[in-house]
Amino acid sequence: MTTLLIAEHNGQQLAPATLSALTAAQQIGGDIAMLIAGAEVTAVAEQAAQCAGVAQVLVAQDDSLRYELAENLSALIISLAGDYSHIVAPSNSITKDAMPRVAALLDVGQLSDITGVLSATQFQRPIYAGNAIATVTSLDDKQVITVRAASFAKASAQGGSATVTSVAVPAGSGLSTWVADELTVSERPQLTAADRVVSGGRGVGSKENFALLESLADKLGAALGASRAAVDAGFVSNDMQVGQTGKIVAPELYMAFGISGAIQHLAGMKDAKVIVAVNKDEDAPIFQVADYYLVADLFDVLPELIEKL
Amino acid sequence: MKVLVAVKRVVDYNVKVRVKNDGSGVDLTNVKMSINPFDEIAVEEAVRLKEAGKVDEVVLVSIGSAKSEETLRTGLAMGADRGILVNTDDLAVEPLAVAKILQKVTEKEQPSLVILGKQAIDDDCNQTGQMLSALMNWPQGTFASEVALDDTQVTVTREVDGGLQTVKLSLPAVVTTDLRLNEPRFASLPNIMKAKKKPVDKLTPAELGLGEGDIKPRLEIVQTQEPAKRQAGIKVVTVAELVDKLKNEAGVL
């Protein structure tokens, strides 16, 4: 049994989600090789070699991998796939794009967003927006898996001493070309990796009012999140959306302000350790999952909270 | 130019599903079913491309039991031209099987663009579009929030983790829709009536040349459970009390 783990990184650093996926790979068992793909990845490869339990680091460095387009990334993974029984990646917008392509080309099913490893072929995954957990056994001879990082502890990034090997990169497909990136600039911690998340919904009322949440987030060293209603109303950008169709988070502390708690939002945060909800509406569904809740106007609560912290 | 849109019949997104006591699955008897919300966005985008004169024909395809015809009629009432129902009876078809069926339909219909939703809200897989595009060896534009089509290529703005990414794909291509691509229209009563007369072809996987081996499930669902329940929460009355609880009881501050 051997696992190929696809690393998530930003060109300089391994993403914390990679370490969570490494834990899942360790639970599957067998040797683990970590693939670092990108245009300039030398620094990341060095970090990968230090990670506990990684036997081998494969470095695929080529300009065709700069934007990790699914067509090129999947061709690379396929070129390596023959040696591995499991192909595992943290679930993110790059792997959600590329891994199903890998699975189809290998003629196997894919296990999306696993939250538990029961054996080398049996896994748990949430369905129906997290309202049910399915235990599934893969009948294929190879498993292609994406891992919900929030469900696994991070493996140690130290103590390993993997060999680092360069691998050949297949020629770019030419089917797609990158045009532009428009990335949200933020000083705050990354939403999916943050220990604390402060989130706002429709009740926040305006883009300007989000500044209050930002002050609280800064005070707590928290990431800022939002419900779909807040994104659709234009208060914040869509990469801040927490939920079934946005990001899945499981921080130590999740504070929801002016969020009613629709099924789709809960799907993205109900595994947080402690949930705090502030809402004017006594019947808001968010109160059913909150550990502590306050029925009050968030505009009264926020300034006082910021002052008291 | 022809556009093919795949639509799935799923539990309505507002329904809070109930897991069966014996762990055999989710109870779907007498539950309201609807078109998957992302697929509704896919139909809307195709119809808008037609209204803009860039597309001549919008063909819908749905895979599932005979009841999926309702889902096709919903899309036809929104403005699609005709439907194809691939009847798999009660067999559970996984994304790979759906992608293989869609591949056959795509080869038959020869569309320039296939639009799917980014994920179905029942199995939450987010795989089918990518798998279809792999099987066709076409480029893919997943999680699209903007689609600009011309004769030879399509420019897709994608919702990625850090923000937005724009890519250009040569046609033919596969696009999957994200929530912000558009606001789907409501079908008017006259259009719902007209949709009843629009043609729907009925096929089986065998008629498309697929054997049982091609569409057999790859995952065996052993058990379906309810997620772990959270402990009942505590109502606090003042901000001071909240801060105190977070510091001293929960230990998260």
Side-chain angles (χ1 to χ4, degrees):
Chain A
M1 215 160 42
T2 48
T3 296
L4 180 66
L5 173 62
I6 320 298
E8 177 183 352
H9 63 85
N10 62 1
Q12 279 104 43
Q13 277 193 313
L14 276 181
T18 306
L19 297 174
S20 300
L22 178 54
T23 300
Q26 287 167 345
Q27 289 175 6
I28 290 167
D31 279 347
I32 300 166
M34 200 189 280
L35 173 67
I36 318 284
E40 285 138 34
V41 293
T42 329
V44 182
E46 279 168 25
Q47 290 166 29
Q50 310 289 316
C51 291
V54 176
Q56 202 186 8
V57 173
L58 304 176
V59 179
Q61 187 162 273
D62 191 85
D63 208 43
S64 66
L65 296 169
R66 185 175 295 276
Y67 303 106
E68 298 177 281
L69 297 174
E71 295 81 359
N72 298 348
L73 185 58
S74 60
L76 168 69
I77 296 171
I78 292 291
S79 74
L80 302 167
D83 296 337
Y84 301 95
S85 60
H86 293 75
I87 303 173
V88 175
S91 188
N92 59 47
S93 61
I94 293 166
T95 58
K96 280 181 190 167
D97 194 27
M99 291 289 267
R101 211 171 161 103
V102 170
L105 293 172
L106 294 171
D107 195 29
V108 299
Q110 184 189 302
L111 294 129
S112 292
D113 260 346
I114 62 158
T115 53
V117 176
L118 300 178
S119 79
T121 52
Q122 197 172 78
F123 306 92
Q124 286 183 317
R125 60 176 303 266
I127 52 177
Y128 291 92
N131 286 302
I133 308 292
T135 301
V136 291
T137 304
S138 167
L139 308 173
D140 287 313
D141 52 5
K142 226 184 236 309
Q143 274 77 52
V144 174
I145 296 167
T146 60
V147 175
R148 178 169 291 187
S151 301
F152 292 88
K154 291 181 201 60
S156 167
Q158 264 112 45
S161 56
T163 56
V164 179
T165 322
S166 282
V167 296
V169 177
S173 72
L175 292 169
S176 60
T177 34
W178 173 88
V179 178
D181 276 341
E182 193 184 310
L183 301 180
T184 311
V185 185
S186 171
E187 298 286 307
R188 293 192 192 86
Q190 214 199 322
L191 187 53
T192 47
D195 286 336
R196 295 168 176 177
V197 173
V198 170
S199 234
R202 196 195 305 272
V204 177
S206 73
K207 198 172 176 169
E208 290 69 33
N209 290 347
F210 249 84
L212 264 173
L213 287 183
E214 286 174 17
S215 319
L216 177 64
D218 290 342
K219 200 111 190 190
L220 290 168
L224 203 56
S227 71
R228 186 181 170 206
V231 173
D232 281 352
F235 302 166
V236 291
S237 66
N238 58 39
D239 52 307
M240 285 168 56
Q241 185 183 323
V242 172
Q244 185 183 20
T245 62
K247 300 208 167 86
I248 315 281
V249 300
E252 293 280 301
L253 174 63
Y254 188 89
M255 304 187 86
F257 293 88
I259 292 177
S260 64
I263 296 171
Q264 292 78 12
H265 184 75
L266 300 183
M269 46 62 79
K270 68 187 166 69
D271 291 327
K273 192 169 155 239
V274 175
I275 297 172
V276 172
V278 177
N279 206 302
K280 272 198 291 200
D281 176 8
E282 207 158 333
D283 299 321
I286 190 91
F287 292 151
Q288 287 161 25
V289 302
D291 298 284
Y292 302 103
Y293 60 97
L294 196 52
V295 183
D297 189 333
L298 66 96
F299 297 107
D300 296 335
V301 172
L302 272 170
E304 199 183 335
L305 193 55
I306 292 165
E307 188 200 300
K308 286 210 160 64
L309 287 171
Chain B
M1 187 182 294
K2 188 196 280 186
V3 175
L4 185 70
V5 181
V7 291
K8 183 177 185 182
R9 179 175 183 266
V10 297
V11 167
D12 189 86
Y13 73 100
N14 278 315
V15 172
K16 173 118 171 57
V17 296
R18 208 178 59 78
V19 175
K20 287 190 212 166
N21 291 333
D22 62 359
S24 64
V26 164
D27 193 356
L28 296 180
T29 42
N30 299 321
V31 168
K32 186 185 176 200
M33 305 292 277
S34 301
I35 182 171
N36 180 42
F38 291 101
D39 303 349
E40 204 173 13
I41 293 169
V43 175
E44 175 67 33
E45 194 64 17
V47 171
R48 286 188 192 186
L49 288 169
K50 189 182 173 192
E51 287 167 349
K54 291 182 176 169
V55 163
D56 310 307
E57 191 183 26
V58 177
V59 183
L60 302 183
V61 54
S62 193
I63 296 159
S65 72
K67 287 181 183 159
S68 293
E69 188 172 342
E70 294 163 21
T71 312
L72 287 171
R73 296 288 169 199
T74 307
L76 293 171
M78 289 172 69
D81 298 293
R82 63 187 169 88
I84 299 169
L85 172 64
V86 182
N87 193 332
T88 53
D89 294 318
D90 290 329
L91 183 76
V93 277
E94 290 172 4
L96 184 62
V98 171
K100 287 183 178 181
I101 294 169
L102 289 175
Q103 180 189 12
K104 294 291 179 189
V105 175
T106 304
E107 284 165 356
K108 192 164 164 253
E109 292 286 334
Q110 304 266 323
S112 303
L113 189 65
V114 183
I115 311 182
L116 302 89
K118 85 162 173 182
Q119 78 191 62
I121 59 163
D122 51 1
D123 60 22
D124 281 333
C125 277
N126 194 336
Q127 300 170 2
T128 308
Q130 295 89 315
M131 287 181 161
L132 171 65
S133 124
L135 297 175
M136 297 299 296
N137 193 28
W138 286 3
Q140 66 192 43
T142 49
F143 328 141
S145 61
E146 212 179 313
V147 173
L149 183 66
D150 63 39
D151 290 341
T152 58
Q153 60 183 25
V154 58
T155 306
V156 179
T157 302
R158 308 177 50 228
E159 298 203 2
V160 295
D161 284 342
L164 298 171
Q165 179 184 65
T166 306
V167 291
K168 253 191 191 36
L169 314 173
S170 55
L171 292 179
V174 172
V175 167
T176 73
T177 62
D178 216 318
L179 276 175
R180 268 160 293 272
L181 180 58
N182 59 46
E183 188 90 22
R185 70 193 65 190
F186 289 103
S188 64
L189 190 58
N191 285 345
I192 293 170
M193 301 311 286
K194 269 187 230 157
K196 290 187 178 171
K197 297 205 177 79
K198 289 185 179 174
V200 171
D201 271 354
K202 288 172 190 160
L203 298 167
T204 62
E207 284 167 342
L208 288 165
L210 291 165
E212 256 173 56
D214 293 312
I215 56 169
K216 66 169 192 288
R218 306 305 186 92
L219 301 176
E220 186 194 346
I221 300 182
V222 185
Q223 197 190 22
T224 307
Q225 301 157 268
E226 287 220 16
K229 283 222 165 39
R230 294 189 73 99
Q231 294 255 323
I234 298 168
K235 183 175 177 175
V236 293
V237 184
T238 64
V239 173
E241 193 187 347
L242 176 64
V243 173
D244 175 64
K245 295 261 189 215
L246 290 178
K247 271 192 182 141
N248 302 320
E249 200 173 280
V252 288
L253 283 185

